[in-house]
Amino acid sequence: MAKVIVAGVGMIPFAKPGASAPYDEMGAEATGLALKDAGIGYDAVQQAYAGYVYGDSTCGQKALYRVGMTGIPVINVNNNCSTGSTALFLARQAVESGAADCVLALGFEQMKPGALGSVYDDRPSPFVEFDRVCDDIVGQPDIPLALRYFGGAGLSHMEKYGTKLETFARIRAKASRHARNNPLALFRQEVSADDVMNAQVIWPGVMTRLMACPPTCGAAAALLVSEKFAAKHGLRSDIRIAAQAMTTDYPSTFEARDMMQVVGADMSRAAADKVYEQAGIGPEDLDVVELHDCFAHNELITYEALGLCGEGGAERFVEDGDNTYGGKVVTNPSGGLLSKGHPLGATGLAQCYELTHQLRGTAEARQVEDARLALQHNLGLGGACVVTLYQRA
C-alpha cells in the first residue's frame, strides 16, 4: 500500500455564527490555502471529499466550484462532529489503496447560534436510542441534550472516581492558555480556573458555561498525496499518516448504563488501540495530541480512552500538569474546541492542520519541542470516532 503524505494544509480563522463568510466562500478559501501550502494547482487534485453537517446535498460542489470545475469526483460527507476526520479517512484510503495519487479533504460549517438541534422532525432521529438511555440515566429534561450527554459523562466520572468539578475548570483554563498563541482561534483571552468556576452555571455541580465549546463557523483542508506523486512534483514529504482507524458504537454504548460509554469512550479506546497496534507504538511515545474537547468533561474522559493515563487517573494527570507543556504530552496546543471553536465539519481538518504544523516545527509560539509523533482524536455522536497518527520523517 502507498505511503500517504500530508502535502498541504489550510485553515481560516474561526468565527462566531453570523460573523463569517458563507460556507462556500470559507470552503474555497481553505482549499486555496492548502493548495498554496502544497505548491500545486487544483487541476492536480484527482478526488475530493467535502465534509459538513448542516447544509443541503452537494454543498461540497458549491464550495469547490469556486476553486475550479475540473470534473473530478466530489464526495459529500456527513458524520456529525467527526465529519472532517471522516473526509480525511476516506481521502487516506483513496491514496493508500492506489485509487488516486492526490486527494483533497475539505471541511466547513456555517452554524447558527445556540444549542444544536434536529433539522428533520418528520422522521426517526438517529438519536432515539441515545436519548432514551440519557433520559433514563440522567433525567434533567430542561437541559439541552448535548450538555446532558457530556455533562452526564463527566458526572459519571465524578461519581466513579471522585473527580472534582475544579478539574474540568483547570482543563478549560489550560485550553485558554494554549489558544492565546493561536491567531486562528475564536477565543484567545486567557481565563483562570476560578473564572471558569465562576461562569454562568448550566448544571449545578456539573458544568458552567465556559466548560462547553461554542457553535462556530469555519473551514479547513488537507491535501493527501502518494510518495510517488510527491517525488514527481517536488512536494514536501516529511509528514505522513502512519496509522488511522475509525470505529462506531459497540453494544456497551447502551448496555453499560454509563454516560461515558454513551458519549463514545469505548469507540475512542478501540480506535486508539487499533492505531497503536498498526504503528507499533504506545501512548507513551506520543509528543502532542489534538483531541475532541467539545466539553472539558470529554477531554478528561478521552485522556483515559487514549491511554494517556490509567483508568481513573485523569484528575491526577491534570493536577500534575501532564497535559500541557513540560508534562508528559501536550494536549490541544491549538486551544482545542473549547477555545478555538467547533465548526462541526471543519474540526477534524483543523486538528490535522495544527498537528501538521507541530510536526513541521512551524507552530511558532505553540510549538511542542522536537515533536515527531502526533495523535488526532475526533468524535461524533450517533456515532463515529476517527483516530489518526501522524509521523515526521
Side-chain angles (χ1 to χ4, degrees):
M1 292 186 291
K3 288 185 178 178
V4 181
I5 307 298
V6 184
V9 290
M11 177 180 166
I12 65 171
F14 288 175
K16 293 180 179 180
S20 75
Y23 72 87
D24 56 321
E25 293 181 21
M26 292 190 292
E29 184 179 357
T31 298
L33 291 170
L35 290 167
K36 182 179 179 181
D37 185 51
I40 58 174
Y42 185 64
D43 57 353
V45 177
Q46 298 163 353
Q47 291 184 12
Y49 294 87
Y52 56 94
V53 175
Y54 292 106
D56 291 323
S57 185
T58 67
C59 282
Q61 281 90 326
K62 172 66 173 169
L64 289 172
Y65 285 177
R66 298 181 68 93
V67 184
M69 298 177 70
T70 57
I72 63 169
V74 175
I75 298 95
N76 293 271
V77 181
N78 182 342
N79 229 4
N80 268 350
C81 300
S82 62
T83 290
S85 59
T86 301
L88 185 75
F89 181 88
L90 293 168
R92 189 269 309 163
Q93 281 191 327
V95 174
E96 190 175 69
S97 69
D101 285 312
C102 179
V103 181
L104 173 72
L106 167 65
F108 52 79
E109 206 72 56
Q110 182 178 343
M111 296 186 72
K112 295 180 179 179
L116 301 181
S118 177
V119 175
Y120 303 103
D121 57 8
D122 62 342
R123 64 205 70 185
S125 165
F127 289 100
V128 167
E129 188 67 15
F130 292 85
D131 293 350
R132 184 191 65 77
V133 173
C134 184
D135 287 343
D136 192 32
I137 298 173
V138 174
Q140 303 290 338
D142 295 333
I143 297 175
L145 267 172
L147 277 65
R148 292 168 66 199
Y149 282 139
F150 289 100
L155 180 59
S156 173
H157 201 280
M158 295 165 83
E159 291 174 346
K160 194 173 290 188
Y161 301 113
T163 308
K164 299 182 290 294
L165 184 62
E166 289 82 359
T167 304
F168 302 122
R170 293 179 69 168
I171 288 172
R172 176 63 178 87
K174 181 267 299 178
S176 75
R177 292 195 302 274
H178 291 184
R180 182 182 58 191
N181 295 316
N182 186 359
L184 299 178
L186 177 57
F187 296 120
R188 299 183 63 194
Q189 180 179 349
E190 186 173 346
V191 296
S192 68
D194 284 343
D195 293 331
V196 179
M197 290 294 290
N198 292 326
Q200 177 189 353
V201 175
I202 296 175
W203 185 345
V206 178
M207 187 185 297
T208 70
R209 184 177 61 84
L210 286 179
M211 295 176 187
C213 74
T216 317
C217 303
L223 273 166
L224 304 186
V225 304
S226 65
E227 202 170 31
K228 175 182 68 176
F229 185 94
K232 179 180 177 181
H233 294 271
L235 309 185
R236 65 183 305 155
S237 58
D238 52 341
I239 311 301
R240 70 182 185 95
I241 295 179
Q244 189 177 48
M246 175 188 283
T247 53
T248 56
D249 288 293
Y250 294 90
S252 58
T253 298
F254 304 130
E255 293 174 1
R257 292 191 50 79
D258 185 335
M259 287 305 298
M260 289 192 283
Q261 307 310 333
V262 174
V263 302
D266 279 353
M267 282 198 299
S268 297
R269 185 173 293 105
D273 288 347
K274 289 178 181 180
V275 163
Y276 297 145
E277 183 178 359
Q278 287 175 29
I281 68 157
E284 66 278 1
D285 298 311
L286 301 171
D287 300 303
V288 56
V289 173
E290 282 278 315
L291 59 81
H292 196 88
D293 61 325
C294 51
F295 293 81
H297 307 64
N298 201 53
E299 174 158 345
L300 180 135
I301 291 164
T302 304
Y303 294 153
E304 297 177 14
L306 298 182
L308 306 183
C309 61
E311 186 176 339
E315 182 165 79
R316 173 57 58 190
F317 187 72
V318 174
E319 290 176 346
D320 289 348
D322 284 332
N323 60 348
T324 188
Y325 298 87
K328 289 182 178 178
V329 57
V330 180
T331 60
N332 293 338
S334 68
L337 286 59
L338 286 166
S339 287
K340 184 178 61 194
H342 182 24
L344 308 189
T347 287
L349 287 156
Q351 293 175 321
C352 173
Y353 175 93
E354 176 67 23
L355 294 178
T356 297
H357 280 288
Q358 287 289 344
L359 294 184
R360 286 179 181 175
T362 53
E364 299 180 335
R366 303 186 311 283
Q367 185 63 51
V368 176
E369 186 177 357
D370 196 33
R372 299 191 67 86
L373 283 174
L375 193 76
Q376 174 191 349
H377 163 268
N378 190 200
L379 175 79
L381 292 184
C385 179
V386 183
V387 173
T388 308
L389 180 72
Y390 303 86
Q391 183 175 36
R392 174 161 61 94

